[in-house]
Amino acid sequence: IYRFNSIFEMQKLSKLRDYIVTSNLKNIDVKVVATGNSNGKINFSNEGTGSSRVGDAINSNDVDLVKLDDFIEENPTLIKMDIEGAELDSLKGASLVIRTLKPKLAICIYHKPTDFYDIPKYLSTLVPEYKFKIRQHQKYFYDTVLYAYV
């Protein structure tokens, strides 16, 4: 699942699809959707900045919004999220997958001040046996990732 928001991002998406074909990679299906705690449509900005956001900006478009519980057809072993503050909502939309399959998780927790506490607390309610590690991949708080595993 790949979120995009600019011409540059669309070019990266095209290169990703080309790479999958030319490398003869199997079991990879690229979908352009947003993830959340419901199914429907959501308005995404398309201003060409380095990050995406929900909103009614001049350059915006509607994309499909999906719950991962209703969308995932395979059994994931890893779920990675860096989705600009929509992580907790998307995790709620994946509660059944997480509770039953217990995949490893790599979830960004720096977009909202409460993510650092709310996300591991929520995941603990789904899978009490999850162990957590936090890694800061940059010098500052950016790219702080919560890893959960059994």
Side-chain angles (χ1 to χ4, degrees), residues 1-4 13 17 29-34 71 73:
I1 297 170
Y2 188 86
R3 286 182 150 186
F4 72 98
L13 179 62
R17 286 184 168 143
D29 189 12
V30 179
K31 304 282 188 186
V32 180
V33 298
F71 188 75
E73 297 173 354

Side-chain angles (χ1 to χ4, degrees), residues 8-9 32 47 51 68 85 103 105 111 118 121 137 142 145:
F8 177 68
E9 293 292 322
V32 180
E47 298 174 352
S51 61
L68 291 178
L105 304 173
H111 293 105
D118 290 345
K121 182 178 175 183
H137 292 272
Y142 298 107
V145 179

Side-chain angles (χ1 to χ4, degrees), residues 29-43:
D29 189 12
V30 179
K31 304 282 188 186
V32 180
V33 298
T35 60
N37 195 20
S38 62
N39 296 311
K41 295 277 187 185
I42 193 165
N43 191 267

Side-chain angles (χ1 to χ4, degrees), residues 57-90:
I58 294 170
N59 296 319
S60 63
N61 58 327
D62 285 339
V63 297
D64 289 328
L65 176 68
V66 299
K67 288 176 56 174
L68 291 178
D69 283 341
D70 299 335
F71 188 75
I72 294 176
E73 297 173 354
E74 302 293 327
N75 294 341
T77 56
L78 171 70
I79 296 176
K80 177 193 174 293
M81 291 183 182
D82 182 0
I83 49 178
E84 308 306 317
E87 288 84 1
L88 184 56
D89 195 47
S90 292

Side-chain angles (χ1 to χ4, degrees), residues 21-146:
V21 170
T22 59
S23 300
N24 200 29
L25 299 175
K26 304 295 181 205
N27 300 323
I28 297 176
D29 189 12
V30 179
K31 304 282 188 186
V32 180
V33 298
T35 60
N37 195 20
S38 62
N39 296 311
K41 295 277 187 185
I42 193 165
N43 191 267
F44 242 21
S45 75
N46 192 8
E47 298 174 352
T49 60
S51 61
S52 57
R53 66 183 171 90
V54 173
D56 294 320
I58 294 170
N59 296 319
S60 63
N61 58 327
D62 285 339
V63 297
D64 289 328
L65 176 68
V66 299
K67 288 176 56 174
L68 291 178
D69 283 341
D70 299 335
F71 188 75
I72 294 176
E73 297 173 354
E74 302 293 327
N75 294 341
T77 56
L78 171 70
I79 296 176
K80 177 193 174 293
M81 291 183 182
D82 182 0
I83 49 178
E84 308 306 317
E87 288 84 1
L88 184 56
D89 195 47
S90 292
L91 289 167
K92 288 178 180 178
S95 61
L96 182 61
V97 167
I98 294 169
R99 189 176 26 250
T100 58
L101 300 175
K102 300 176 177 84
K104 294 179 179 111
L105 304 173
I107 311 297
C108 285
I109 57 171
Y110 66 90
H111 293 105
K112 294 179 180 175
T114 57
D115 283 349
F116 190 87
Y117 302 101
D118 290 345
I119 291 175
K121 182 178 175 183
Y122 175 70
L123 293 172
S124 291
T125 67
L126 297 179
V127 183
E129 60 269 30
Y130 263 152
K131 295 180 179 88
F132 299 104
K133 300 224 182 237
I134 294 174
R135 180 163 181 211
Q136 189 170 325
H137 292 272
Q138 297 292 326
K139 183 177 180 181
Y140 301 104
F141 68 94
Y142 298 107
D143 293 330
T144 303
V145 179
L146 173 73

